[in-house]
């Protein structure tokens, strides 16, 4: 990471260099979830559920942003008003609410000491966000990674909201079918978004 000039203020996550790995993020994510009781979502959740992606921030599900903000501040995870995010040891913490998820999470899990969105809710959230815009294609990539690494099969679609079952099955086909049968990305978004 490049050294900041004096009085430069905190860096925005996009300027913090390469994505962080498990050994850096998981202890920080544990501190965040311990302080708030909120489960992680996003890239950290993908890592915890067995996906191989890395990320540069910690996203948490918060049904009450103000209460979560107060809990973060009480734990010393302070608000950076310039970048509109909380920061823990140089890592941004973002809150996600029901609007960003496919449904209100019913259950959470604890993996490696970190409270995390259960797998079905994570996949549903990633699909919902990923299908809204090709600019959010990384969320579809996260789902593809989970399908391949866990592995998930078509029967997992029953765990998802009905509106996301078809796109999920199409992604399973893309991961587990012979390479010659792939759907071009533009056609996938045209059909399911």
């Amino acid at each position: 990471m490049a050294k900041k000039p004096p009085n430069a203020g905190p860096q925005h996550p996009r300027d913090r260099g390469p994505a962080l790995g498990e050994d850096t993020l998981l202890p920080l994510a544990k501190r965040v979830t311990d302080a708030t009781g909120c489960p992680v979502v996003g890239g950290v959740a993908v890592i915890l559920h067995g996906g191989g992606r890395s990320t540069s921030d910690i996203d948490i599900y918060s049904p009450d942003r103000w209460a979560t903000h107060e809990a973060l501040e009480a734990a010393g995870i302070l608000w950076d008003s310039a970048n509109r995010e909380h920061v823990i040891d140089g890592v941004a913490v973002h809150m996600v609410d029901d609007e960003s998820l496919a449904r209100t999470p019913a259950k959470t899990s604890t993996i490696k000491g970190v409270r995390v969105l259960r797998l079905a809710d994570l996949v549903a959230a990633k699909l919902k966000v990923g299908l809204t815009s090709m600019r959010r294609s990384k969320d579809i990539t996260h789902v593809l990674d989970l399908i391949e690494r866990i592995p998930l099969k078509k029967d997992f679609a029953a765990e998802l909201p009905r509106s996301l079952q078809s796109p999920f099955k199409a992604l399973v086909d893309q991961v587990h079918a012979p390479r010659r049968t792939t759907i071009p990305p533009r056609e996938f978004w045209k059909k399911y978004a």
Side-chain angles (χ1 to χ4, degrees):
M1 177 163 44
K3 210 171 187 181
K4 293 188 298 185
N7 303 322
Q11 291 178 301
H12 192 273
R14 286 186 293 268
D15 301 330
R16 290 189 180 127
L20 303 170
E22 266 186 67
D23 49 339
T24 301
L25 281 173
L26 296 188
L28 298 176
K30 181 174 180 359
R31 285 176 49 198
V32 169
T33 61
D34 286 351
T36 63
C38 297
V40 292
V41 299
V44 174
V46 172
I47 291 167
L48 287 167
H49 279 292
R53 301 292 165 175
S54 57
T55 186
S56 59
D57 64 354
I58 298 169
D59 299 315
I60 57 174
Y61 167 70
S62 172
D64 182 341
R65 287 178 181 235
W66 185 252
T68 303
H69 163 75
E70 289 180 327
L72 288 167
E73 293 261 315
I77 303 166
L78 302 179
W79 178 252
D80 172 7
S81 58
N83 294 312
R84 302 182 49 83
E85 62 195 11
H86 288 87
V87 178
I88 180 172
D89 294 350
V91 176
V93 178
H94 301 123
M95 289 183 252
V96 173
D97 59 17
D98 288 331
E99 192 174 302
S100 299
L101 302 177
R103 59 185 172 206
T104 301
K107 297 178 183 176
T108 60
S109 303
T110 301
I111 303 172
K112 296 184 180 180
V114 180
R115 190 167 182 201
V116 63
L117 210 59
R118 72 184 184 108
L119 183 59
D121 289 332
L122 175 63
V123 169
K126 288 289 187 180
L127 278 173
K128 178 187 176 196
V129 172
L131 291 172
T132 60
S133 167
M134 285 185 73
R135 298 187 80 183
R136 295 295 308 186
S137 63
K138 72 178 182 178
D139 293 294
I140 298 298
T141 302
H142 287 160
V143 174
L144 290 167
D145 198 43
L146 290 167
I147 289 169
E148 182 175 25
R149 288 175 176 258
I150 289 178
L152 297 175
K153 304 293 183 194
K154 285 184 179 182
D155 61 346
F156 187 79
E159 301 284 326
L160 304 175
R162 187 173 301 281
S163 64
L164 299 174
Q165 291 177 359
S166 265
F168 176 79
K169 289 177 182 179
L171 292 174
V172 169
D173 283 343
Q174 295 303 297
V175 171
H176 298 299
R179 298 257 185 233
R180 65 182 181 280
T181 63
T182 59
I183 300 172
R186 186 179 305 165
E187 294 302 316
F188 177 79
W189 262 276
K190 198 184 294 183
K191 184 173 182 177
Y192 295 111

